[in-house]
Amino acid sequence: MPTPSCRATGITHQLELMDAGIDLVLGTVRPDFADLSARHAAYWRATHERGRPPGNVHGANLGVRASTYVEAGGIRDLVEHEDVALVRAVRALGARERASDVHEVETSGRFTGRTPGGYAAFLRRVHAWVDAAPLAAPGA
């Protein structure tokens, strides 16, 4: 299978993967660090190693071959996690998938989103954990 160009960006990268036979691209996202505390941004950088995409589902950076999208039934009308439902349906078809961080999408770092369980809620939980006061004073 051809290797996509490292110079590809955005939709170009996803289209190159589709041309190489991939049906589903799980791209990475990065929160806007201006919305996060310095500790939270540092934690994010320390836990997201370039070149090792985790394969998480993010609607902001998700690519699905059009024919596969149609066969999977498209986006369902759900309160939340419609992107996850689409990926499950695509996987159930036996689609070829690839996780990629060649083109990372910056998304909002807000803590309140349109649904209770989306990316904003995830960021809020991580922020609360990272910025929580220590349980005991150092050396205590």
Side-chain angles (χ1 to χ4, degrees):
M1 175 170 15
T3 302
S5 165
C6 289
R7 296 183 316 157
T9 59
I11 193 70
T12 304
H13 172 62
Q14 291 192 4
L15 289 171
E16 284 182 356
L17 290 172
M18 300 293 166
D19 286 346
I22 301 300
D23 303 303
L24 171 66
V25 180
L26 302 173
T28 56
V29 299
R30 178 181 70 78
D32 182 348
F33 293 144
D35 295 336
L36 306 179
S37 70
R39 286 179 63 179
H40 190 171
Y43 174 81
W44 192 93
R45 287 184 185 102
T47 58
H48 290 77
E49 184 179 340
R50 295 297 294 168
R52 299 188 67 177
N56 298 330
V57 177
H58 299 290
N61 199 1
L62 176 65
V64 181
R65 179 183 303 280
S67 58
T68 304
Y69 177 87
V70 170
E71 188 178 354
I75 296 284
R76 294 177 39 206
D77 185 15
L78 302 173
V79 173
E80 62 184 10
H81 304 303
E82 62 279 359
D83 50 355
V84 174
L86 174 60
V87 169
R88 282 189 189 125
V90 167
R91 285 176 171 160
L93 297 172
R96 294 158 298 211
E97 73 179 78
R98 172 84 47 90
S100 175
D101 64 357
V102 169
H103 179 71
E104 194 166 75
V105 170
E106 182 179 80
T107 190
S108 171
R110 70 182 186 264
F111 297 150
T112 303
R114 68 173 183 82
T115 70
Y119 192 64
F122 166 75
L123 288 177
R124 184 176 60 247
R125 286 190 308 273
V126 172
H127 183 77
W129 175 74
V130 167
D131 286 346
L135 296 176

Short mmCIF file of all heavy atoms in Angstrom, two decimals, residues 71-104:
data_model
loop_
_atom_site.label_atom_id
_atom_site.label_comp_id
_atom_site.label_asym_id
_atom_site.label_seq_id
_atom_site.Cartn_x
_atom_site.Cartn_y
_atom_site.Cartn_z
N GLU A 71 -23.21 2.93 3.26
CA GLU A 71 -23.48 1.53 3.64
C GLU A 71 -23.69 1.40 5.15
O GLU A 71 -24.48 0.59 5.62
CB GLU A 71 -22.32 0.64 3.18
CG GLU A 71 -22.59 -0.84 3.36
CD GLU A 71 -21.46 -1.72 2.86
OE1 GLU A 71 -20.50 -1.21 2.26
OE2 GLU A 71 -21.55 -2.94 3.08
N ALA A 72 -22.98 2.22 5.94
CA ALA A 72 -23.09 2.17 7.41
C ALA A 72 -24.34 2.89 7.92
O ALA A 72 -24.65 2.82 9.11
CB ALA A 72 -21.84 2.78 8.04
N GLY A 73 -25.03 3.60 7.05
CA GLY A 73 -26.25 4.28 7.48
C GLY A 73 -26.07 5.73 7.85
O GLY A 73 -27.01 6.37 8.32
N GLY A 74 -24.86 6.26 7.68
CA GLY A 74 -24.61 7.68 7.95
C GLY A 74 -24.66 8.03 9.42
O GLY A 74 -24.59 7.17 10.29
N ILE A 75 -24.79 9.32 9.67
CA ILE A 75 -24.85 9.84 11.04
C ILE A 75 -26.27 9.63 11.57
O ILE A 75 -27.23 10.08 10.96
CB ILE A 75 -24.50 11.35 11.08
CG1 ILE A 75 -23.07 11.59 10.63
CG2 ILE A 75 -24.78 11.95 12.45
CD1 ILE A 75 -22.02 11.25 11.65
N ARG A 76 -26.36 8.96 12.69
CA ARG A 76 -27.67 8.73 13.32
C ARG A 76 -28.06 9.95 14.14
O ARG A 76 -27.22 10.69 14.63
CB ARG A 76 -27.60 7.49 14.21
CG ARG A 76 -27.37 6.23 13.36
CD ARG A 76 -27.22 4.97 14.15
NE ARG A 76 -28.08 4.87 15.29
CZ ARG A 76 -27.81 4.13 16.37
NH1 ARG A 76 -26.69 3.44 16.41
NH2 ARG A 76 -28.63 4.08 17.38
N ASP A 77 -29.35 10.16 14.31
CA ASP A 77 -29.88 11.27 15.09
C ASP A 77 -29.86 10.88 16.57
O ASP A 77 -30.82 10.33 17.09
CB ASP A 77 -31.30 11.61 14.62
CG ASP A 77 -31.86 12.85 15.31
OD1 ASP A 77 -31.07 13.61 15.92
OD2 ASP A 77 -33.08 13.05 15.24
N LEU A 78 -28.73 11.16 17.22
CA LEU A 78 -28.54 10.80 18.62
C LEU A 78 -28.28 12.07 19.44
O LEU A 78 -27.81 13.07 18.90
CB LEU A 78 -27.34 9.86 18.78
CG LEU A 78 -27.41 8.54 18.01
CD1 LEU A 78 -26.08 7.80 18.11
CD2 LEU A 78 -28.55 7.68 18.53
N VAL A 79 -28.53 12.01 20.73
CA VAL A 79 -28.27 13.14 21.61
C VAL A 79 -26.78 13.42 21.69
O VAL A 79 -26.35 14.58 21.73
CB VAL A 79 -28.87 12.88 23.01
CG1 VAL A 79 -28.46 13.96 23.98
CG2 VAL A 79 -30.38 12.77 22.92
N GLU A 80 -25.97 12.38 21.72
CA GLU A 80 -24.52 12.53 21.75
C GLU A 80 -23.85 11.27 21.21
O GLU A 80 -24.50 10.25 21.03
CB GLU A 80 -24.00 12.85 23.16
CG GLU A 80 -24.28 11.78 24.18
CD GLU A 80 -23.84 12.19 25.57
OE1 GLU A 80 -23.50 13.36 25.80
OE2 GLU A 80 -23.83 11.33 26.45
N HIS A 81 -22.58 11.37 20.94
CA HIS A 81 -21.74 10.26 20.47
C HIS A 81 -22.19 9.69 19.13
O HIS A 81 -21.98 8.52 18.84
CB HIS A 81 -21.66 9.15 21.53
CG HIS A 81 -21.17 9.63 22.85
ND1 HIS A 81 -19.95 10.26 23.03
CD2 HIS A 81 -21.75 9.60 24.09
CE1 HIS A 81 -19.80 10.59 24.30
NE2 HIS A 81 -20.88 10.20 24.96
N GLU A 82 -22.75 10.55 18.27
CA GLU A 82 -23.13 10.09 16.94
C GLU A 82 -21.91 9.70 16.12
O GLU A 82 -21.97 8.80 15.29
CB GLU A 82 -23.98 11.15 16.22
CG GLU A 82 -23.29 12.46 15.97
CD GLU A 82 -23.27 13.43 17.15
OE1 GLU A 82 -23.80 13.11 18.23
OE2 GLU A 82 -22.69 14.51 16.99
N ASP A 83 -20.76 10.34 16.40
CA ASP A 83 -19.52 9.98 15.71
C ASP A 83 -19.06 8.58 16.11
O ASP A 83 -18.64 7.79 15.27
CB ASP A 83 -18.43 11.02 15.94
CG ASP A 83 -18.24 11.39 17.41
OD1 ASP A 83 -19.00 10.92 18.29
OD2 ASP A 83 -17.31 12.18 17.70
N VAL A 84 -19.18 8.26 17.38
CA VAL A 84 -18.81 6.93 17.88
C VAL A 84 -19.73 5.86 17.28
O VAL A 84 -19.27 4.79 16.88
CB VAL A 84 -18.84 6.89 19.43
CG1 VAL A 84 -18.59 5.49 19.95
CG2 VAL A 84 -17.82 7.88 20.00
N ALA A 85 -21.02 6.16 17.20
CA ALA A 85 -21.97 5.21 16.61
C ALA A 85 -21.64 4.96 15.14
O ALA A 85 -21.71 3.82 14.66
CB ALA A 85 -23.40 5.74 16.75
N LEU A 86 -21.26 6.02 14.42
CA LEU A 86 -20.88 5.85 13.01
C LEU A 86 -19.64 4.96 12.90
O LEU A 86 -19.61 4.04 12.06
CB LEU A 86 -20.61 7.21 12.37
CG LEU A 86 -20.06 7.16 10.93
CD1 LEU A 86 -21.03 6.46 9.99
CD2 LEU A 86 -19.74 8.56 10.44
N VAL A 87 -18.65 5.20 13.74
CA VAL A 87 -17.43 4.38 13.68
C VAL A 87 -17.75 2.92 14.00
O VAL A 87 -17.25 2.01 13.33
CB VAL A 87 -16.34 4.95 14.61
CG1 VAL A 87 -15.18 3.98 14.77
CG2 VAL A 87 -15.84 6.29 14.07
N ARG A 88 -18.60 2.67 14.97
CA ARG A 88 -19.01 1.28 15.28
C ARG A 88 -19.67 0.63 14.06
O ARG A 88 -19.39 -0.54 13.74
CB ARG A 88 -19.97 1.25 16.46
CG ARG A 88 -19.30 1.41 17.78
CD ARG A 88 -20.28 1.15 18.93
NE ARG A 88 -19.67 1.50 20.17
CZ ARG A 88 -20.18 2.36 21.05
NH1 ARG A 88 -21.36 2.91 20.84
NH2 ARG A 88 -19.54 2.63 22.17
N ALA A 89 -20.57 1.36 13.41
CA ALA A 89 -21.26 0.82 12.24
C ALA A 89 -20.28 0.55 11.09
O ALA A 89 -20.38 -0.48 10.41
CB ALA A 89 -22.36 1.79 11.79
N VAL A 90 -19.33 1.45 10.90
CA VAL A 90 -18.32 1.27 9.85
C VAL A 90 -17.43 0.06 10.17
O VAL A 90 -17.14 -0.76 9.29
CB VAL A 90 -17.49 2.57 9.68
CG1 VAL A 90 -16.24 2.33 8.84
CG2 VAL A 90 -18.35 3.67 9.08
N ARG A 91 -17.03 -0.07 11.42
CA ARG A 91 -16.21 -1.22 11.81
C ARG A 91 -16.98 -2.53 11.64
O ARG A 91 -16.39 -3.55 11.26
CB ARG A 91 -15.76 -1.07 13.27
CG ARG A 91 -14.67 -0.05 13.44
CD ARG A 91 -14.32 0.15 14.89
NE ARG A 91 -13.12 0.98 15.04
CZ ARG A 91 -12.81 1.62 16.14
NH1 ARG A 91 -13.58 1.53 17.22
NH2 ARG A 91 -11.71 2.35 16.18
N ALA A 92 -18.28 -2.51 11.91
CA ALA A 92 -19.10 -3.71 11.76
C ALA A 92 -19.13 -4.20 10.31
O ALA A 92 -19.36 -5.38 10.05
CB ALA A 92 -20.52 -3.45 12.27
N LEU A 93 -18.87 -3.30 9.38
CA LEU A 93 -18.81 -3.66 7.96
C LEU A 93 -17.47 -4.29 7.59
O LEU A 93 -17.30 -4.76 6.47
CB LEU A 93 -19.02 -2.41 7.09
CG LEU A 93 -20.36 -1.70 7.21
CD1 LEU A 93 -20.34 -0.39 6.44
CD2 LEU A 93 -21.48 -2.61 6.72
N GLY A 94 -16.51 -4.24 8.52
CA GLY A 94 -15.17 -4.77 8.22
C GLY A 94 -14.29 -3.76 7.50
O GLY A 94 -13.36 -4.14 6.78
N ALA A 95 -14.57 -2.50 7.68
CA ALA A 95 -13.82 -1.44 7.00
C ALA A 95 -12.35 -1.45 7.40
O ALA A 95 -12.00 -1.82 8.51
CB ALA A 95 -14.44 -0.09 7.31
N ARG A 96 -11.52 -1.01 6.47
CA ARG A 96 -10.09 -0.82 6.74
C ARG A 96 -9.92 0.55 7.37
O ARG A 96 -10.40 1.55 6.81
CB ARG A 96 -9.30 -0.93 5.45
CG ARG A 96 -9.37 -2.34 4.85
CD ARG A 96 -9.06 -2.28 3.40
NE ARG A 96 -10.12 -1.44 2.79
CZ ARG A 96 -10.59 -1.57 1.57
NH1 ARG A 96 -10.09 -2.47 0.78
NH2 ARG A 96 -11.53 -0.80 1.10
N GLU A 97 -9.26 0.59 8.52
CA GLU A 97 -9.13 1.87 9.22
C GLU A 97 -7.68 2.20 9.52
O GLU A 97 -6.83 1.33 9.57
CB GLU A 97 -9.96 1.90 10.49
CG GLU A 97 -9.43 1.07 11.64
CD GLU A 97 -10.31 1.19 12.88
OE1 GLU A 97 -11.37 0.56 12.91
OE2 GLU A 97 -9.91 1.92 13.81
N ARG A 98 -7.45 3.48 9.75
CA ARG A 98 -6.12 3.96 10.09
C ARG A 98 -6.25 5.11 11.07
O ARG A 98 -7.05 6.02 10.87
CB ARG A 98 -5.43 4.46 8.82
CG ARG A 98 -4.10 5.18 9.02
CD ARG A 98 -2.89 4.27 9.13
NE ARG A 98 -2.80 3.24 8.15
CZ ARG A 98 -2.19 3.34 6.97
NH1 ARG A 98 -1.63 4.46 6.60
NH2 ARG A 98 -2.15 2.31 6.16
N ALA A 99 -5.47 5.05 12.14
CA ALA A 99 -5.34 6.19 13.06
C ALA A 99 -4.18 7.03 12.54
O ALA A 99 -3.15 6.48 12.15
CB ALA A 99 -5.07 5.71 14.47
N SER A 100 -4.36 8.34 12.51
CA SER A 100 -3.32 9.21 11.95
C SER A 100 -3.26 10.52 12.71
O SER A 100 -4.29 11.10 13.05
CB SER A 100 -3.61 9.49 10.48
OG SER A 100 -2.68 10.42 9.97
N ASP A 101 -2.04 10.98 12.96
CA ASP A 101 -1.86 12.31 13.55
C ASP A 101 -1.08 13.22 12.60
O ASP A 101 -0.52 14.23 13.01
CB ASP A 101 -1.22 12.26 14.93
CG ASP A 101 0.20 11.72 14.91
OD1 ASP A 101 0.70 11.33 13.84
OD2 ASP A 101 0.82 11.69 15.98
N VAL A 102 -1.06 12.86 11.31
CA VAL A 102 -0.36 13.68 10.33
C VAL A 102 -0.97 15.07 10.29
O VAL A 102 -0.27 16.06 10.20
CB VAL A 102 -0.39 13.02 8.93
CG1 VAL A 102 0.09 13.99 7.86
CG2 VAL A 102 0.48 11.78 8.92
N HIS A 103 -2.28 15.15 10.36
CA HIS A 103 -2.94 16.46 10.38
C HIS A 103 -3.83 16.54 11.62
O HIS A 103 -4.93 16.00 11.64
CB HIS A 103 -3.77 16.69 9.13
CG HIS A 103 -4.48 18.02 9.15
ND1 HIS A 103 -3.81 19.21 9.03
CD2 HIS A 103 -5.76 18.33 9.35
CE1 HIS A 103 -4.68 20.20 9.13
NE2 HIS A 103 -5.86 19.70 9.32
N GLU A 104 -3.31 17.18 12.64
CA GLU A 104 -4.05 17.34 13.90
C GLU A 104 -4.95 18.57 13.79
O GLU A 104 -4.54 19.61 13.30
CB GLU A 104 -3.03 17.55 15.01
CG GLU A 104 -3.57 17.40 16.38
CD GLU A 104 -2.41 17.28 17.35
OE1 GLU A 104 -1.76 18.30 17.62
OE2 GLU A 104 -2.15 16.15 17.79
#
